[in-house]
Amino acid sequence: MNYQLNHLRELEAESIYVLREVAAQFEKPVLMFSGGKDSILMVHLAMKAFHPARIPFTLLHVDTGHNFEETIKYRDNLVARIGAKLIVGSVQDAIDNGTVREEKGFNASRNGLQTAVLLDELEKGKFDAAMGGARRDEEKARAKERFFSHRDEFGQWDPKNQRPELWNIFNGKKQYGEHFRIFPISNWTELDVWQYLAIEEVELPSLYFAHKRKVFKRDGTLLADTPIIQKRANEEVVEMMVRCRTIGDITCTGVWESDADNLEKIIQEVSTTRMTERGGRTDDKRSETSMEDRKKKGYF
Amino acid sequence: MKGQAVSDAKNQLMGDIEQSTELLRFTTAGSVDDGKSTLIGRLLYDSKSIFEDQYEAIKATSERRGEEGVNLALLTDGLKAEREQGITIDVAYRYFATPKRKFIIADTPGHIEYTRNMVTGASTANVALILIDARNGIVEQTRRHAFISSLLQIPHLVVCINKMDLVDYSEEAYNAIKEEFSQFSSKLDVKDVHFIPISALMGDNVVERSENTPWYDGTTLMYYLENVHIGSDHNFIDCRFPVQHVIRPYKDEFHDYRGYAGRIAGGVFKKGDAVMILPSGFTTKIAKIETFDGELEEAHPPMSVTMLLEDDLDLSRGGMIVRENNVPDIGQDVDAMICWFSDKPLQPRGKYTIMHTSQDARCIVKEIRYKLDINSLHRNTEDTNIGMNDIGRVVLRTTKPLFMDTYRRNRITGSFVLIDEGTNNTVAAGMII
């Protein structure tokens, strides 16, 4: 008898374990849902962890108001299908009532504004744990992240003073007003995610598959042509076969030239590509430590 | 026809994925400047796990700082403070895969003051890589790393004698270090030690066999990592199922459903097995082992499953399902080795929270037996002040019974952490003796 799990089943078992710890250790956890493949994976794993009961978490989507249309449609379908509760935190509302100020100019993005809205929603909902689909292979600051990551009463991360995390013991103890960020899929790589979504036959937003779209090039990145992004005079719009490798705010999510229109081709592409998936994220490119800087302030 | 071809390709792919690759976790340890980052960089680079844009980014940073060549350490040192100081502060996790296995590296800092990170990285590792600079031989750090690997019971130890190019690939130099290490490690509890002469910088014996070491007839490091047998690293004998969470769907069709969710910590559980539940001691049978994907006939570590029992008994988080004829040690006195992680020393008679499997309890430090000198392995019973990064043997008394095995027998049911009740910080890792 062979008692060895393959790597995907072992990662699955680990993530399910973490999700169950969250349900057991926290009073009011929330699952941060962006509509991207990583949060879709998290929802799928949560369904597995608590079957046949419903997912014992609310979903929270911080909507920049600059999302791809397909993302919102997918989100609403998913929520209806699994019978979950969804809260939408609106960046537009925060701008309208003056909580945050919108950036101006060519590279304006609402990415950074999400932090204020997220922290606000966590406080309003009295959530004591927020689960995110961040992975350690994505970005160098995320490589240092714990599964259970402590946040102080201002929602800040202190990377130099993290709790040691040993074996499979997760310390979720905190003072009143503090919360935790929890990353159940920390150990998955981009390829693991795709392989797993393929064998599990999970339905995915159409944006991930190659499709025709009007795009233009800026600083080496292809961006979708949309009225939301102000174009320079010399930026020429062309139609191309593209797909998203990550899905975020439309203003900072680059698309990739690709003809991968099904999962097999995507896996093929991901396993041979020589560029990181966040390579198209202009929000990461603002400085060498932009992810760490944002995370310290409470960004997801 | 086309549809058929597509579905064949799909089946082929799914088949490949399902039967593919085991997961191997390893930790790397070495002292400052012995080439650890270079070795990791090489493993990532040679397995094509460094992306072009990542490489370009660190190349640009290296140039801006006026460094010679591309500093591969920048790949692993992700925090601003680490980059500024040129040191690694915290454990970083790195990933790479070959067609045979997927690897998770816990890259731990080599500085003495960061022993806690080494212990953290070691706690989940199947393999420990210890780097030794061939020019310097065994140093204090090497002993410390070897000791921690044995304390944390990492099943396999690989000693990489690095920078062989700087000692002219000398067999004598290699043998001398191997000999000295073996003498030292014979006093430790390590089962499986392997030695490999390498040059991380030049690539000798990392992925490709080196022509410079004709006297070495062992395997390359990559071959070792891809083939070391990890199938028996878990305990498949003593059945242990700590209950994490009780699943009670409030739906009509599951009216009386009580599912005990958890991850198998030891042994193989089968449907129909007679089991005992703790703490009550009642016996019953496993009615079903359930997952989202259907029922299972049996379950083993490290699977996450849900158990249904034949009788309706009192069992909740912190409880454990075991076999009647093979129960763990049930008690309130915990005899253990601990590694201390806090600036504030261990308080004799101090009270802490203990987390062990899915249980929380309070405990008091009843006795500090000795502090261990890692270098000489001397047990100091005079000075029992346990401070940051110290290792000592203690006896704790808990407010309620724990269901324990020795750490040697089971890394899950034999381990715990201590938490400071004021700050909520994790202040110690414990291994039950």
Side-chain angles (χ1 to χ4, degrees), chain A residues 120-221:
Chain A
D120 197 39
E121 286 298 335
L122 294 179
E123 205 173 313
K124 252 195 320 203
K126 296 195 166 58
F127 295 114
D128 56 354
M131 284 164 278
R135 309 188 324 266
R136 287 170 178 159
D137 79 323
E138 268 182 280
E139 207 285 332
K140 55 191 182 298
R142 285 188 170 164
K144 303 265 164 176
E145 189 58 274
R146 302 289 189 263
F147 278 90
F148 274 40
S149 185
H150 180 257
R151 294 293 186 273
D152 68 11
E153 65 269 45
F154 299 102
Q156 301 179 111
W157 183 48
D158 182 3
K160 283 173 80 174
N161 193 22
Q162 300 196 73
R163 293 180 184 175
E165 214 161 66
L166 298 110
W167 300 291
N168 59 353
I169 305 176
F170 297 104
N171 173 3
K173 296 191 190 305
K174 61 188 178 324
Q175 311 285 350
Y176 182 77
E178 300 174 342
H179 76 275
F180 271 79
R181 296 292 170 85
I182 292 166
F183 305 105
I185 59 164
S186 288
N187 277 333
W188 299 61
T189 62
E190 185 189 13
L191 184 60
D192 296 332
V193 173
W194 282 113
Q195 288 184 334
Y196 182 81
L197 293 173
I199 58 172
E200 292 284 312
E201 299 180 350
V202 176
E203 193 200 326
L204 290 162
S206 54
L207 286 167
Y208 281 117
F209 301 94
H211 56 281
K212 257 198 192 137
R213 187 178 283 273
K214 285 187 176 144
V215 296
F216 68 96
K217 204 169 214 171
R218 175 178 293 174
D219 301 335
T221 301

Side-chain angles (χ1 to χ4, degrees), chain A residues 233-248:
Chain A
N234 62 350
E235 287 171 335
E236 190 193 343
V237 174
V238 287
E239 198 171 61
M240 270 191 196
M241 286 295 280
V242 295
R243 69 177 204 89
C244 291
R245 273 177 81 192
T246 68
I247 294 182

